[in-house]
Amino acid sequence: NAGVTQTPKFQVLKTGQSMTLQCAQDMNHEYMSWYRQDPGMGLRLIHYSVGAGITDQGEVPNGYNVSRSTTEDFPLRLLSAAPSQTSVYFCASTLGQGRTEAFFGQGTRLTVV
Amino acid sequence: AQSVTQLGSHVSVSEGALVLLRCNYSSSVPPYLFWYVQYPNQGLQLLLKYTTGATLVKGINGFEAEFKKSETSFHLTKPSAHMSDAAEYFCAVRSGGYQKVTFGTGTKLQVIP
């Protein structure tokens, strides 16, 4: 099983550029989410989706867009990159509610210069 | 609302010594609690989880945690540290059926030979 696959692993962007971080899971999980990880701040939820066609904002959604057209894919779009978006981004998927744990991708390390 | 507090951003132990990583949570409903481990340049992987039932939960690599409702704690322990335990550990909470998972800020464990 591939689990949760994120691409790319590394990316350098110039301020103002746009890009899409890809996330795909092959476990038929309903729930997918995007986090950013910054030193001393743990993981902060950017956006999440409880199923195809349904997305909602997390605690730090500004500057990011998401869509969920299929169960498998949950891309994260940076519309106009800013240095404050330099971070490590993790995608996660979960089978369902409550007691089930999240499965994480390997992360995308993004630097905005 | 839910939150997690991890006491100590860095913990150092000698090889063979007891490992104790502290986690306190806040939740308005009975929580589901998780500990994840992150090795350098990797994603998060589940160590153990508490959902219902037995309050002492055993996980992988010899780790265990005890859910103490009266203390709102879920501390992670391992009797004897190994060099391979050096990593960052995250405590997380999900409140019942509520989909979002809230992570603590993480504790980096250093194991001294």
Side-chain angles (χ1 to χ4, degrees):
Chain A
N1 262 348
V4 179
T5 302
Q6 288 184 238
T7 56
K9 287 187 169 49
F10 302 93
Q11 183 70 51
V12 178
L13 286 181
K14 294 182 178 179
T15 297
Q17 286 185 317
S18 63
M19 79 160 294
T20 299
L21 307 185
Q22 301 292 343
C23 176
Q25 54 94 4
D26 61 359
M27 298 173 283
N28 202 31
H29 285 175
E30 301 166 345
Y31 181 69
M32 296 185 74
S33 52
W34 277 102
Y35 293 87
R36 59 177 290 173
Q37 182 179 24
D38 301 290
M41 305 190 76
L43 279 79
R44 293 181 292 168
L45 182 65
I46 305 171
H47 285 285
Y48 66 99
S49 168
V50 299
I54 306 169
T55 64
D56 205 349
Q57 296 181 349
E59 59 180 303
V60 289
N62 292 340
Y64 307 96
N65 275 357
V66 292
S67 60
R68 183 99 179 266
S69 56
T70 67
T71 299
E72 294 78 19
D73 299 301
F74 190 45
L76 177 72
R77 296 183 186 85
L78 282 71
L79 304 176
S80 178
S84 61
Q85 293 179 304
T86 293
S87 187
V88 181
Y89 292 86
F90 287 99
C91 178
S93 74
T94 311
L95 177 60
Q97 295 189 26
R99 63 186 65 194
T100 54
E101 68 272 20
F103 291 80
F104 285 82
Q106 293 296 296
T108 296
R109 187 173 294 274
L110 176 68
T111 303
V112 182
V113 297
Chain B
Q2 57 188 29
S3 65
V4 174
T5 302
Q6 290 184 241
L7 297 176
S9 58
H10 291 80
V11 170
S12 293
V13 301
S14 298
E15 191 175 16
L18 172 72
V19 176
L20 171 60
L21 304 183
R22 299 179 186 274
C23 172
N24 288 88
Y25 70 90
S26 171
S27 174
S28 57
V29 298
Y32 299 132
L33 296 159
F34 307 85
W35 274 101
Y36 289 86
V37 61
Q38 183 182 33
Y39 298 103
N41 300 314
Q42 294 190 23
L44 280 72
Q45 61 182 108
L46 183 73
L47 266 182
L48 49 81
K49 64 180 178 181
Y50 168 78
T51 56
T52 58
T55 57
L56 182 62
V57 180
K58 294 187 185 300
I60 61 172
N61 301 337
F63 284 93
E64 62 183 35
E66 186 170 10
F67 170 60
K68 292 188 176 180
K69 183 178 178 180
S70 62
E71 299 177 8
T72 61
S73 69
F74 191 57
H75 301 331
L76 182 71
T77 61
K78 182 174 180 177
S80 177
H82 192 273
M83 295 299 295
S84 60
D85 295 328
E88 190 161 18
Y89 294 80
F90 292 91
C91 183
V93 62
R94 168 184 275 162
S95 297
Y98 186 59
Q99 294 286 353
K100 298 178 188 177
V101 177
T102 300
F103 286 84
T105 52
T107 298
K108 284 189 177 175
L109 177 65
Q110 179 186 21
V111 182
I112 303 167

